[in-house]
């Protein structure tokens, strides 16, 4: 496909996606050489670019004829991904995390796929999702919490155990088919899910999961968990309660006392030095007391708000409400994750 036509088609994808239409013609885009050259430019500077996959090849052996050969195989449907090489890296808790290292060829193909999928899904992803997205990171998630989560009394922290290893392939493909109307493109994505892995040079089939370390894996994980984001957004809208928290009577009692003392000070032209000192001390004491009291009732039973933020398979729910409300969100997490597994 000519570069100009392909770029126009790619530029139209976000609008189609946001409108709710299924996107087609994606497989034809894979013949656009500019996509492959740009994909190479993105993966070449990565720290692991010189790490070999199962075939032992690294990026220093890449050439234009090599890329042309890959494009031809993909276009004719003869391209088959190679099993990833599995290694284990240490985690902060002392345990080991499995990491799949794709071949250089598979990395390039996955990056082209990732760039197309990104055009489809980035425009519709939730604002609560911060992991592995352009211009988002754990820092933007923390900034969101700092700026928006004032008043939160309870935190529910969730880490989905073994998420990447247990992604259901059929569910993953069903989710992709909701937005993509291109069977050949979907088959190519499925081929990576089912490519298997090599551990100690022994081949293992992959019936579920997407390997951590794969170029397209983080985006597929976000697509999978986008359903959780949408569920949480609706659940929060349905379960938030009240317009505003009730006034804190103690705060307003102290504020009234402070206002009266200040008025008395303004009208104390004939007061003695001792009386003025007493007024100043009283005002200072009331101001300190006022700063320690919230202006609204933090435990107002008629007001409830939920907050939500996700980074990859870790997410946090903030609760402005009672401990019972926080417990309800815990049960919600368990039930919703069980239902989607």
């Amino acid at each position: 496909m000519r570069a100009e036509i392909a770029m126009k088609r790619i530029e139209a994808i976000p609008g189609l996606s946001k409108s709710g239409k299924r996107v087609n013609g994606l497989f034809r885009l894979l013949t656009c050489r500019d996509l492959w050259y740009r994909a190479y430019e993105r993966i070449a500077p990565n720290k692991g670019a010189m790490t070999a996959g199962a075939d032992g090849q690294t990026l220093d052996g890449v050439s234009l004829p090599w890329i042309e050969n890959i494009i031809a195989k993909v276009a004719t449907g003869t391209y088959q991904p190679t099993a990833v090489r599995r290694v284990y890296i240490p985690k902060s808790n002392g345990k080991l995390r499995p990491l799949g290292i794709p071949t250089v060829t598979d990395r390039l193909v996955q990056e082209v796929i990732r760039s197309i999928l990104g055009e489809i899904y980035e425009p519709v992803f939730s604002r609560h999702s911060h992991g592995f997205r352009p211009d988002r990171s754990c820092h933007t998630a923390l900034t969101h919490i700092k700026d928006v989560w004032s008043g939160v009394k309870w935190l529910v922290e969730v880490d989905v155990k073994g998420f990447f290893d247990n992604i259901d392939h059929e569910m993953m493909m069903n989710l992709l088919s909701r937005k993509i109307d291109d069977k050949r493109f979907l088959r190519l994505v499925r081929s990576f899910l089912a490519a298997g892995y090599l551990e100690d040079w022994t081949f293992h089939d992959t019936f579920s999961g997407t390997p951590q370390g794969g170029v397209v894996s983080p985006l597929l994980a976000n697509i999978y968990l986008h359903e959780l984001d949408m569920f949480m957004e609706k659940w929060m809208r349905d379960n938030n309660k009240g317009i505003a928290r009730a006034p804190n009577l103690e705060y307003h009692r102290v504020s009234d006392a402070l206002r009266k003392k200040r008025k008395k000070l303004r009208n104390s032209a004939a007061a003695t030095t001792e009386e003025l000192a007493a007024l100043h001390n009283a005002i200072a004491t009331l101001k300190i007391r006022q700063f320690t009291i919230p202006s609204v009732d933090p435990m107002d039973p008629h007001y409830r708000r939920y907050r939500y933020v996700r980074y990859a398979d870790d997410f946090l729910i903030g609760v402005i409400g009672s401990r019972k409300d926080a417990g309800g969100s815990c049960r919600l997490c368990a039930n919703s994750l069980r239902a989607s597994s």
Side-chain angles (χ1 to χ4, degrees), residues 11 15 30 43 65 123 130-131 138 148 237 249 303 305 309 315:
E11 289 172 3
L30 298 177
I43 66 173
H130 292 262
C138 56
V148 179
R237 289 194 301 268
L249 297 180
Y303 181 86
R305 286 291 184 275
V309 66
F315 61 95

Side-chain angles (χ1 to χ4, degrees), residues 300-321:
D300 180 2
H302 303 294
Y303 181 86
R304 180 174 61 216
R305 286 291 184 275
Y306 290 99
R307 302 286 185 258
Y308 168 73
V309 66
R310 180 176 65 81
Y311 185 90
D313 57 340
D314 297 318
F315 61 95
L316 194 65
I317 298 174
V319 183
I320 302 174

